Amino acid sequence: MKRNNGRKRANPKATSLSTTEEYQIHTLANGIRIAHKQVPYTQIAHCGIMLDIGSRDELPHQQGLAHFWEHMAFKGTEKRSSYHVINRLENVGGELNAYTTKEKICFHASVLDDHFEKAMDLLADITFHSVFPDKQIERERNVILEEMSMYVDSPEDAIQDDFDQLIFPDHALGSNILGTAETVNSFGREQLYEFINHNIDTERIVVSSVSRLPFSKVIRIAEKYLGGVPHCKTNRERVAPTIYTPVRQERERPIQQAQCAMGQPAYALLDERRLPFFMLVNLLGGPGMNSRFNLSLREKYGFVYSIEANYTPYLDTGFMGIFFGTEKKQLNKSIALIHKELKRIREVPLSTLQLHQTKVQLMGQLAMSEESNMSFMLMMAKSILDTGKVDSLPEIFTEIEQITSGQLQEIAVDLFNEQNFSYLTFLPEE
């Protein structure tokens, strides 16, 4: 794993069905959407249940509760013990997993397609019929506290969590998904049910599937195990972060290498500048060895082992961060080199060849990521929850092709101004 009572009866509204070349959608009477992509060349079925609930939906005293629910869902249901949950798919060579983000919780499985119905049965069971046994709550509480200690002991992970708090202070987006020791120690069955009942909305749940099974069979199985889930509608309203003020902080830690995070809020998920900005961040510090930061700080000067730039869009805001580790004596030099690259991309527009190469690289990376059926299954669910659709690769490629050098330079001027950056540095203790 990574990072129900009191519900209304289903509304008797009609189902709906839509189809594209890439995927098909069917909506159950209770509002749960079933999204399926049929691929003829695989024997593996990937499926998941994604809920539009995440750590940003927690109240201050609930920090870590969404992640706690993710863990506890595996610890027993109305008809299965934790042992039977674990072994249901493992016994047929399948995999069962889950993760929690700031805005989503997902339970997902991968099995031979002969066992697709077993997977759907189990996913529906742990999502909607977990009973949260007291003994298991105590055990899992200790597991999560150990998980928290593990992240604290990993400075490259800890600095990213702490940096969120600088960018989104006094907001749930800035809170650690794992919560705090104090909040985790306060959780019990009552808190779990209260959080679930307050946030669950069947119209904000997507069941995603990628396999060679026909869509009609996927619908039949989904209806069998999810059709009886009562329709639920939440009155929850997400509040966007408001005022941002750049912050600089240094903290001493028992570490050998200095760690640095720098960045600021960025464009929201539905902002039309999201894709060109993603392309800029990819150019500067994406996974390619030829990123500008990597070529400068690692290949030319040897200051870092790795450096990355990330852009995470949320529904109502976004976040851009640059992260690296280096020797303390090289810290200021490394930051200066990053500033130099940011200045260059603000002031020097990409040439026709550079722009073309940047587009081709991004399109190749996106195509390779979609080659994974499991990745597509998860992306499909998230995209439908966030935008109501899944853009095909040709549609995305067309949008990328239309990006101009002038657009990129305007965005660089807007979001790559170091005066608006926050900085967090972990320094080795003296």
Side-chain angles (χ1 to χ4, degrees), residues 354-424:
Q354 289 173 329
L355 180 62
H356 173 72
Q357 290 173 335
T358 302
K359 290 178 178 179
V360 169
Q361 182 177 35
L362 179 58
M363 288 189 286
Q365 291 172 349
L366 291 173
M368 290 180 66
S369 67
E370 193 166 304
E371 188 73 12
S372 164
N373 286 335
M374 185 174 76
S375 296
F376 184 88
M377 179 271 294
L378 296 173
M379 179 278 293
M380 179 166 59
K382 183 179 185 302
S383 183
I384 291 171
L385 280 174
D386 288 342
T387 68
K389 62 176 183 172
V390 182
D391 291 329
S392 68
L393 274 179
E395 290 172 329
I396 297 172
F397 287 176
T398 298
E399 192 175 347
I400 290 174
E401 289 287 8
Q402 294 172 348
I403 296 172
T404 68
S405 182
Q407 279 180 291
L408 295 178
Q409 192 171 13
E410 288 179 7
I411 291 171
V413 170
D414 185 29
L415 285 187
F416 290 149
N417 182 350
E418 302 92 340
Q419 300 301 315
N420 293 329
F421 275 21
S422 289
Y423 297 80
L424 175 61

Side-chain angles (χ1 to χ4, degrees), residues 75-139:
K75 301 307 173 183
T77 69
E78 294 169 4
K79 65 179 182 180
R80 291 184 174 97
S81 67
S82 61
Y83 174 84
H84 290 104
V85 168
I86 293 171
N87 282 282
R88 177 69 170 167
L89 300 185
E90 294 283 346
N91 283 343
V92 294
E95 296 180 354
L96 177 66
N97 215 327
Y99 64 87
T100 304
T101 69
K102 304 279 185 177
E103 295 185 328
K104 304 288 184 288
I105 293 175
C106 183
F107 304 101
H108 59 95
S110 299
V111 292
L112 284 170
D113 52 24
D114 287 345
H115 305 297
F116 176 80
E117 183 166 352
K118 285 185 178 180
M120 189 62 69
D121 174 20
L122 184 61
L123 289 172
D125 199 25
I126 65 175
T127 303
F128 297 103
H129 303 291
S130 293
V131 293
F132 312 128
D134 289 333
K135 288 184 178 179
Q136 293 285 5
I137 286 177
E138 293 306 316
R139 290 172 185 165

Side-chain angles (χ1 to χ4, degrees), residues 202-408:
T202 48
E203 296 179 23
R204 302 294 302 160
I205 297 174
V206 168
V207 178
S208 183
S209 165
V210 175
S211 72
R212 66 179 179 178
L213 299 176
F215 190 39
S216 58
K217 184 172 183 178
V218 173
I219 292 175
R220 178 180 61 78
I221 294 173
E223 180 73 53
K224 179 178 178 180
Y225 295 104
L226 294 160
V229 174
H231 176 269
C232 302
K233 185 68 179 174
T234 181
N235 294 320
R236 178 197 72 194
E237 291 185 9
R238 285 173 168 164
V239 179
T242 51
I243 300 174
Y244 164 73
T245 303
V247 177
R248 289 176 177 261
Q249 284 190 12
E250 292 185 353
R251 303 174 188 175
E252 288 193 352
R253 291 288 181 91
I255 54 179
Q256 299 298 315
Q257 187 185 54
Q259 296 286 331
C260 183
M262 49 198 292
Q264 69 172 69
Y267 304 126
L269 186 70
L270 300 180
D271 195 297
E272 62 183 10
R273 296 164 293 183
R274 178 179 66 92
L275 185 57
F277 181 59
F278 179 75
M279 190 164 79
L280 269 182
V281 173
N282 194 63
L283 170 66
L284 284 171
M289 294 290 288
N290 65 340
S291 74
R292 289 191 174 186
F293 289 156
N294 191 71
L295 289 176
S296 176
L297 276 76
R298 174 172 174 157
E299 298 300 326
K300 186 174 182 178
Y301 291 98
F303 286 169
V304 303
Y305 175 73
S306 66
I307 180 170
E308 62 180 273
N310 294 331
Y311 166 45
T312 304
Y314 300 114
L315 287 176
D316 47 18
T317 185
F319 163 78
M320 189 279 295
I322 302 166
F323 305 93
F324 67 93
T326 188
E327 295 295 320
K328 183 179 178 181
K329 63 182 180 181
Q330 298 166 345
L331 176 61
N332 290 333
K333 294 177 183 178
S334 298
I335 293 175
L337 288 174
I338 292 172
H339 288 174
K340 181 180 178 180
E341 292 299 330
L342 294 175
K343 184 174 186 289
R344 179 158 73 105
I345 208 164
R346 289 196 308 268
E347 297 181 353
V348 182
L350 296 183
S351 68
T352 301
L353 178 59
Q354 289 173 329
L355 180 62
H356 173 72
Q357 290 173 335
T358 302
K359 290 178 178 179
V360 169
Q361 182 177 35
L362 179 58
M363 288 189 286
Q365 291 172 349
L366 291 173
M368 290 180 66
S369 67
E370 193 166 304
E371 188 73 12
S372 164
N373 286 335
M374 185 174 76
S375 296
F376 184 88
M377 179 271 294
L378 296 173
M379 179 278 293
M380 179 166 59
K382 183 179 185 302
S383 183
I384 291 171
L385 280 174
D386 288 342
T387 68
K389 62 176 183 172
V390 182
D391 291 329
S392 68
L393 274 179
E395 290 172 329
I396 297 172
F397 287 176
T398 298
E399 192 175 347
I400 290 174
E401 289 287 8
Q402 294 172 348
I403 296 172
T404 68
S405 182
Q407 279 180 291
L408 295 178

Side-chain angles (χ1 to χ4, degrees), residues 33-104:
R33 283 169 286 181
I34 315 300
H36 178 65
K37 178 180 180 180
Q38 186 176 16
V39 290
Y41 52 80
T42 181
Q43 291 181 294
I44 304 301
H46 303 282
C47 54
I49 298 179
M50 188 173 290
L51 304 95
D52 193 35
I53 304 171
S55 62
R56 73 169 299 175
D57 302 310
E58 299 162 348
L59 299 173
H61 69 279
Q62 295 175 326
Q63 287 182 25
L65 195 49
H67 177 255
F68 201 91
W69 171 21
E70 174 217 315
H71 275 243
M72 285 304 304
F74 293 78
K75 301 307 173 183
T77 69
E78 294 169 4
K79 65 179 182 180
R80 291 184 174 97
S81 67
S82 61
Y83 174 84
H84 290 104
V85 168
I86 293 171
N87 282 282
R88 177 69 170 167
L89 300 185
E90 294 283 346
N91 283 343
V92 294
E95 296 180 354
L96 177 66
N97 215 327
Y99 64 87
T100 304
T101 69
K102 304 279 185 177
E103 295 185 328
K104 304 288 184 288

